[in-house]
Amino acid sequence: MKSVLTLFFLSLTMMVNAQNVVTASRKQLFDYDWKFSLDDEPTASQPSFNDAQWRKLNLPHDWSIEGQTKAYNPSGNDGGYFPTGTGWYRKNFRVPAMLKAKKISVYFEGVYMNSEVFINGKSIGVRPYGYSAFAYDITPYLNYNGDNVLVVKADNSKQKNSRWYSGSGIYRHVWLTVTDAVHIGNWGISIKTNNITKNNATVEIKTILKNETLFPKKVSLFTALTDKNKGEAGNTNTTITLPANETREVVQNVVVKNPLFWSCEEPWLYNARVTIKQGVKTVDETTTAFGIRSLVFSTQNGFQLNGKKIILNGGCAHHDNGILGAAAYDRAEEKKVELLKAAGFNAVRTSHNPPSEAFLNACDRLGLLVIDEAFDGWRQNKTPYDYAMYFDKWWQRDVETMVLRDRNHPSIFMWSIGNEIIERKKPEAIATATMMAKFIKTLDTTRPITSAMTTWDSEWEMFDPLFAAHDIAGYNYQLYRAPADHQRVPSRIIVQTESYPKDAFANWKLSHENSYIVGDFVWTAIDYLGESGIGRHFYPGDPAGEHYEKPLFPWHGAYCGDIDLTGWRKPISHYRELLYSNKEELYLAVKEPNPESGPIRLTLWAVWPTWESWTWPGFEGKDVQVEVYSKYPAVRLYLNDKLLGEQPTTQAQEFKATFTIPYTPGVIKAVAVKDGKEVETRILKTAGKAVGIKLTADRKMLSANAQDLSYITVEIVDGNGLTVPDANNQLSFQVTGEGTIAGVGNANLQDTDPYVGSQHKVWKGRAVVILKSTQKPGKLELQVSAPGLETASLIMNTISR
């Protein structure tokens, strides 16, 4: 009989996505086969509502990115001029009668925003904050062996409620959890590492056990630790009697011999498998990843990870995934972390909200430190309908959610409770910061607490009491004040939580010369949607001014990132990496020359538009500026094999050399010089006429789960395969087989082509298309065409895993 039931449940597991039948599996993805309508339909919460005409889709889903940017959309410049509104989601599913004794809950990783959830017509909860995860017990409301309807209302109609692009809808995963009445609580495992040495580390595991029955239960709690290679690292067993309808915390300790430390370079992870048994029967089991690492902060040694001093080369990052909008596909979140690591960042600040679980999981696996941030504001609003409306009622639940959900991630090394709080000059801000910091320390004592502060006037010293309410002082754009502040408050440990990209060298120098400064986080690491026009440069005839001074449509995003919307690293990214590491020691780029009509002008967050290009038609014989970034003592510049000069590139020159030369097509070459010898070379070549399309996929094998992604870079190339940097061709995309287009776009944040569709222009010779698998394994073919160019194609496979 046991084998028959096993086979039955296995078959149900295989059918669940297709037939929406709940199985006995503890955690099951609930992303598939939803219906959606972008209308405010008050009766849609009722089971009898007719949704036959609604759109069918899978999650995660962001309806705003599917719309057209328009100047009159109420999200305005803050939200990128994307449409918002109120959306409804409905999902039908069945629960077998054999699960009647189980506890069943639905878990949402995030819904933007003002969500309300209904099960079979019953409202079971609301959650205003769009970045908080939440769970509801739906057991009392289920129909067994009959239809059930789960309904979600997401109300993003009140605008503006954010200072950046938020997206709209169920943009993160949904899960169903099925347990016995005796089970481990939601976020019920807390793992802390103590007494860490090279030879031993004590792993403390706290587990919340729940007995939701009318009788006491005697159980065994077994915890087994395994390392990255699945080798056993230790175990422990505890027996406890749980009273009826009681919750208990059980504390266990396991000593790990010769621990493997988690670091940015070697992000070793362990797993803790926690099992509840009644006799020989397993009644609940779950596995949690964690890392063994030590964090120490001091004014003498700055930040030390595992005893090694780390200077933070950090970047701020909003939650959107560029042309995918807010949709938090696991692969998109992982891709973002890969881009940050490849750009030389060792840390990220999740400005200004908790990120997705997939993002943090990727930071753990790939070795990226995280400042996990709760809010952009507290009680005083920055936009009319932002979190200030909900702060007093919801802050504690939202902070608790962030800390309990995220506390086991080794990548997180600091909590942030806010950003440039409007009331920061008032005494009540000190009380609020103290209150939140004290609350967080009841949940987690292993990480320091910060928040980001700034002012552009002379009242800086007034923040001393507010900084004192934090463990680490977060400075936005004010790191130059740190030396004087250190004289006044010698105990203060400082991190620059935001900085202008143009100040990269000054901030690097301050961080390296002052031990009480632990590093810098640039605004921003990656271009993002919303906050339209920040970081722009502009040409004669364009409107002057900053993004916060006036609407700048068709700008619908921020161009202040080191990495653009397509994943291409701007020259400033290479310069920053060169400052903080020796991975890249020579780089060559060209400053865009001014047009004849007048000079290019910069805004506060901008750097001069600089390109990896030696193709400047119309500037023949005119002076252009060539920039070389170098960690070598000097560099030489050659044009068409003729030496033009040599310049020093030491710290005194900020590791830069600028050569002003007449533009002549051909080959420009930068050569590093050390001890009089030429040791490393970088070249740029003039591109010819566009003749073809080049496709480069980051992955050619996808999982057939309707969520896996492949990022394909599209380049217009000449006969020698060089990217044509002034190409702006209109592209058409066609996909056949087991895949769809998840998004298309380029890095031009003034381009109004939709990000969802089958056509888009290239910009500066580049575009990107993101393909998404279906649930069926097979082949997937992409064809990209443009008038006058040969069509390019690419084939990949989708497989069951």
Side-chain angles (χ1 to χ4, degrees):
M1 185 65 174
K2 182 178 178 182
S3 61
V4 173
L5 281 176
T6 301
L7 289 172
F8 175 76
F9 283 126
L10 179 61
S11 65
L12 281 182
T13 301
M14 295 170 65
M15 292 190 300
V16 67
N17 291 337
Q19 300 183 9
N20 295 301
V21 179
V22 177
T23 75
S25 175
R26 188 185 203 279
K27 185 179 181 182
Q28 43 203 283
L29 192 61
F30 224 47
D31 282 353
Y32 300 100
D33 301 316
W34 289 76
K35 290 189 172 183
F36 170 73
S37 176
L38 185 52
D39 284 301
D40 192 1
E41 304 186 50
T43 60
S45 63
Q46 298 305 306
S48 60
F49 181 85
N50 184 358
D51 59 15
Q53 301 305 310
W54 282 22
R55 173 185 168 193
K56 296 179 180 178
L57 53 76
N58 298 325
L59 306 177
H61 174 240
D62 171 13
W63 78 70
S64 288
I65 198 65
E66 299 172 344
Q68 179 70 53
T69 56
K70 294 180 180 178
Y72 57 77
N73 279 334
S75 62
N77 60 315
D78 291 301
Y81 300 98
F82 286 88
T84 53
T86 299
W88 288 83
Y89 298 83
R90 290 170 56 92
K91 179 176 172 65
N92 290 74
F93 63 100
R94 298 175 69 86
V95 183
M98 66 179 63
L99 299 183
K100 270 190 175 182
K102 299 287 187 179
K103 301 291 294 185
I104 301 177
S105 60
V106 61
Y107 175 69
F108 294 85
E109 292 191 12
V111 181
Y112 203 89
M113 63 175 291
N114 283 313
S115 66
E116 184 171 10
V117 178
F118 305 83
I119 181 70
N120 295 328
K122 172 70 175 177
S123 176
I124 54 174
V126 297
R127 194 70 178 229
Y129 196 35
Y131 301 108
S132 277
F134 54 92
Y136 300 124
D137 181 3
I138 61 175
T139 311
Y141 314 107
L142 291 172
N143 298 319
Y144 294 90
N145 283 334
D147 290 331
N148 294 276
V149 184
L150 181 65
V151 180
V152 180
K153 177 185 178 183
D155 184 354
N156 196 18
S157 62
K158 293 182 174 63
Q159 294 294 324
K160 301 174 181 180
N161 58 53
S162 176
R163 295 190 304 117
W164 57 88
Y165 176 84
S166 65
S168 302
I170 310 179
Y171 68 104
R172 294 178 181 170
H173 293 306
V174 180
W175 302 85
L176 213 64
T177 303
V178 180
T179 67
D180 280 6
V182 176
H183 61 277
I184 298 163
N186 185 36
W187 303 319
I189 296 175
S190 168
I191 301 175
K192 183 169 67 170
T193 51
N194 303 310
N195 306 318
I196 299 171
T197 69
K198 183 174 69 173
N199 298 319
N200 297 289
T202 302
V203 179
E204 178 188 88
I205 308 102
K206 294 182 178 180
T207 304
I208 300 295
L209 300 182
K210 292 193 170 188
N211 175 15
E212 298 188 53
T213 74
L214 299 176
F215 306 98
K217 299 290 183 180
K218 184 178 181 180
V219 300
S220 295
L221 184 68
F222 182 77
T223 298
L225 307 184
T226 55
D227 62 24
K228 185 177 181 179
N229 300 316
K230 298 185 179 178
E232 186 171 316
N235 62 73
T236 185
N237 191 24
T238 304
T239 300
I240 182 174
T241 298
L242 295 173
N245 289 310
E246 284 280 345
T247 297
R248 289 285 177 88
E249 180 181 78
V250 179
V251 181
Q252 298 174 308
N253 287 282
V254 179
V255 175
V256 175
K257 302 290 186 182
N258 303 314
L260 301 168
F261 297 140
W262 186 95
S263 68
C264 297
E265 297 77 23
E266 293 185 286
W268 289 102
L269 291 174
Y270 288 80
N271 283 318
R273 187 179 72 251
V274 180
T275 306
I276 304 176
K277 288 192 174 186
Q278 288 182 263
V280 297
K281 179 187 176 185
T282 295
V283 295
D284 198 11
E285 185 173 87
T286 186
T287 299
T288 301
F290 69 97
I292 297 175
R293 86 285 185 271
S294 65
L295 310 175
V296 176
F297 295 82
S298 68
T299 56
Q300 294 79 24
N301 295 304
F303 168 48
Q304 292 174 294
L305 177 64
N306 304 323
K308 177 184 175 182
K309 183 173 180 178
I310 302 289
I311 296 178
L312 299 171
N313 176 25
C316 300
H318 275 312
H319 76 297
D320 72 81
N321 283 310
I323 69 173
L324 295 173
Y329 296 101
D330 287 1
R331 174 56 191 158
E333 301 294 272
E334 180 182 60
K335 178 73 171 181
K336 187 188 299 184
V337 178
E338 289 175 351
L339 290 171
L340 292 170
K341 287 283 290 187
F345 290 109
N346 60 14
V348 63
R349 172 180 173 233
T350 67
S351 45
H352 304 290
N353 51 263
S356 73
E357 294 178 39
F359 181 81
L360 292 176
N361 290 337
C363 291
D364 290 344
R365 289 194 308 273
L366 299 176
L368 188 69
L369 291 160
V370 179
I371 296 179
D372 199 353
E373 190 156 84
F375 309 120
D376 186 35
W378 298 342
R379 291 188 175 89
Q380 286 189 238
N381 63 298
K382 297 179 179 179
T383 59
Y385 298 101
D386 66 14
Y387 192 74
M389 297 178 64
Y390 313 107
F391 181 83
D392 281 323
K393 182 177 179 181
W394 285 94
W395 77 264
Q396 186 166 327
R397 272 174 284 187
D398 288 324
V399 167
E400 181 180 55
T401 293
M402 177 183 76
V403 177
L404 294 184
R405 188 198 73 164
D406 297 347
R407 60 189 169 181
N408 295 321
H409 289 281
S411 56
I412 297 173
F413 73 113
M414 206 180 298
W415 304 113
S416 172
I417 55 177
N419 173 66
E420 297 181 2
I421 304 305
I422 294 295
E423 62 267 37
R424 58 189 177 271
K425 296 182 180 180
K426 298 179 180 179
E428 51 263 37
I430 302 169
T432 303
T434 302
M435 172 184 69
M436 284 199 282
K438 183 178 179 180
F439 177 66
I440 288 176
K441 289 182 185 297
T442 67
L443 305 172
D444 176 52
T445 59
T446 67
R447 299 169 175 92
I449 295 167
T450 190
S451 70
M453 224 80 68
T454 198
T455 186
W456 281 269
D457 53 35
S458 59
E459 299 177 311
W460 184 251
E461 291 183 19
M462 71 174 294
F463 291 135
D464 286 353
L466 185 52
F467 278 131
H470 303 76
D471 301 306
I472 309 291
Y475 285 32
N476 278 8
Y477 310 102
Q478 307 296 311
L479 195 61
Y480 68 92
R481 299 181 189 263
D485 289 357
H486 181 65
Q487 295 297 317
R488 191 177 70 256
V489 191
S491 62
R492 182 179 296 173
I493 303 169
I494 298 167
V495 61
Q496 185 160 235
T497 34
E498 289 181 25
S499 66
Y500 296 115
K502 63 189 176 185
D503 292 337
F505 177 81
N507 294 323
W508 170 85
K509 191 170 184 290
L510 281 166
S511 298
H512 280 71
E513 292 180 350
N514 300 284
S515 61
Y516 51 86
I517 300 174
V518 299
D520 173 50
F521 286 76
V522 68
W523 191 269
T524 58
I526 304 179
D527 285 352
Y528 57 94
L529 303 177
E531 205 164 4
S532 305
I534 184 175
R536 74 187 182 111
H537 57 272
F538 57 95
Y539 300 90
D542 289 343
E546 298 292 337
H547 64 286
Y548 50 78
E549 294 177 328
K550 64 186 74 172
L552 290 169
F553 186 83
W555 280 94
H556 58 275
Y559 196 68
C560 51
D562 277 22
I563 304 165
D564 74 18
L565 221 59
T566 68
W568 179 74
R569 292 177 62 188
K570 303 173 190 176
I572 184 63
S573 170
H574 295 272
Y575 180 59
R576 193 182 315 282
E577 182 181 26
L578 180 142
L579 288 174
Y580 283 88
S581 78
N582 294 320
K583 285 175 60 180
E584 184 174 30
E585 297 186 284
L586 184 68
Y587 181 80
L588 171 65
V590 179
K591 297 179 71 172
E592 183 174 328
N594 288 313
E596 289 187 359
S597 54
I600 297 170
R601 298 178 66 185
L602 304 181
T603 52
L604 278 174
W605 281 264
V607 294
W608 195 274
T610 306
W611 310 95
E612 291 178 18
S613 172
W614 191 239
T615 306
W616 300 99
F619 287 91
E620 289 80 2
K622 299 176 182 177
D623 282 348
V624 296
Q625 290 187 312
V626 178
E627 281 200 334
V628 184
Y629 312 145
S630 166
K631 273 290 187 71
Y632 294 96
V635 294
R636 294 170 184 163
L637 190 70
Y638 293 83
L639 175 59
N640 297 327
D641 292 326
K642 180 183 178 182
L643 178 61
L644 301 182
E646 179 177 322
Q647 291 189 32
T649 50
T650 67
Q651 182 171 333
Q653 291 80 37
E654 300 184 1
F655 307 112
K656 281 185 182 181
T658 302
F659 297 84
T660 301
I661 63 173
Y663 172 63
T664 304
V667 179
I668 192 164
K669 179 170 66 174
V671 181
V673 180
K674 185 176 182 180
D675 299 326
K677 297 179 180 179
E678 297 187 348
V679 292
E680 188 176 351
T681 300
R682 292 288 182 271
I683 65 170
L684 295 173
K685 297 180 180 180
T686 303
K689 179 183 177 182
V691 298
I693 302 170
K694 179 183 176 182
L695 305 180
T696 306
D698 69 339
R699 303 157 81 229
K700 290 189 177 180
M701 188 77 74
L702 301 181
S703 295
N705 60 7
Q707 296 194 352
D708 206 3
L709 306 174
S710 179
Y711 287 68
I712 294 98
T713 300
V714 184
E715 295 171 283
I716 305 300
V717 295
D718 68 5
N720 294 316
L722 295 175
T723 302
V724 181
D726 55 352
N728 61 356
N729 306 64
Q730 182 75 29
L731 302 175
S732 295
F733 302 88
Q734 183 178 357
V735 176
T736 55
E738 299 307 324
T740 59
I741 296 174
V744 292
N746 60 42
N748 181 6
L749 290 163
Q750 297 184 78
D751 192 333
T752 57
D753 280 0
Y755 290 116
V756 176
S758 59
Q759 292 193 333
H760 214 285
K761 291 186 287 292
V762 299
W763 185 64
K764 303 293 183 183
R766 288 187 182 87
V768 66
V769 55
I770 304 174
L771 302 186
K772 181 173 66 169
S773 64
T774 67
Q775 287 178 271
K776 183 179 177 183
K779 287 193 179 297
L780 165 61
E781 181 174 4
L782 168 70
Q783 290 190 333
V784 183
S785 59
L789 301 179
E790 185 176 346
T791 297
S793 63
L794 184 148
I795 297 175
M796 60 186 66
N797 295 313
T798 64
I799 61 172
S800 297
R801 295 183 181 177

